[in-house]
Amino acid sequence: MNTFNQFQYIYTNISLYQFNADWVTAVSVIVMATIVMWIAYIIMQYSAIYSISYHTDRALAHKKKTLGDLILMKDIQTELEKEIEQAILKAAFHS
């Protein structure tokens, strides 16, 4: 086996990079990370709910506005038909 291209470990340097924290620190880091992730989850959940309700309310308002415009246009059309009918009757009686 060719060992020329393999990395040679220097075992005296391995002790420089060991994790020397105690259990209390490790558990507290895990608990804090869990709390941060839970808070991030709640924030994302509420922002999704807000976004969905905002877009739903906006679509409903747009539909209400469109319906109001259609009702107004129908009223205008009815008034116009009445005026045309009166003008036709007036023209028929004058001739």
Side-chain angles (χ1 to χ4, degrees), residues 8 12 21 28 30 51 53 70 87 90:
Q8 299 294 320
T12 57
S28 65
I30 291 172
S51 176
S53 65
L70 289 174
K90 191 184 239 185

Side-chain angles (χ1 to χ4, degrees), residues 8-84:
Q8 299 294 320
Y9 290 102
I10 302 173
Y11 294 106
T12 57
N13 290 339
I14 291 177
S15 64
L16 297 175
Y17 301 105
Q18 287 182 351
F19 182 68
N20 293 327
D22 56 348
W23 283 103
V24 175
T25 306
V27 169
S28 65
V29 167
I30 291 172
V31 168
M32 291 301 290
T34 304
I35 291 171
V36 168
M37 294 299 288
W38 182 71
I39 291 171
Y41 171 75
I42 296 297
I43 289 171
M44 285 188 281
Q45 198 173 28
Y46 278 117
S47 65
I49 290 170
Y50 174 76
S51 176
I52 290 170
S53 65
Y54 173 76
H55 288 294
T56 304
D57 292 344
R58 200 166 148 203
L60 184 63
H62 180 69
K63 288 179 183 178
K64 283 182 180 180
K65 183 181 181 299
T66 303
L67 185 61
D69 290 345
L70 289 174
I71 291 171
L72 181 64
M73 288 179 4
K74 180 64 178 172
D75 290 343
I76 291 171
Q77 181 183 5
T78 304
E79 291 294 323
L80 183 62
E81 287 173 353
K82 285 180 185 177
E83 288 180 12
I84 291 172

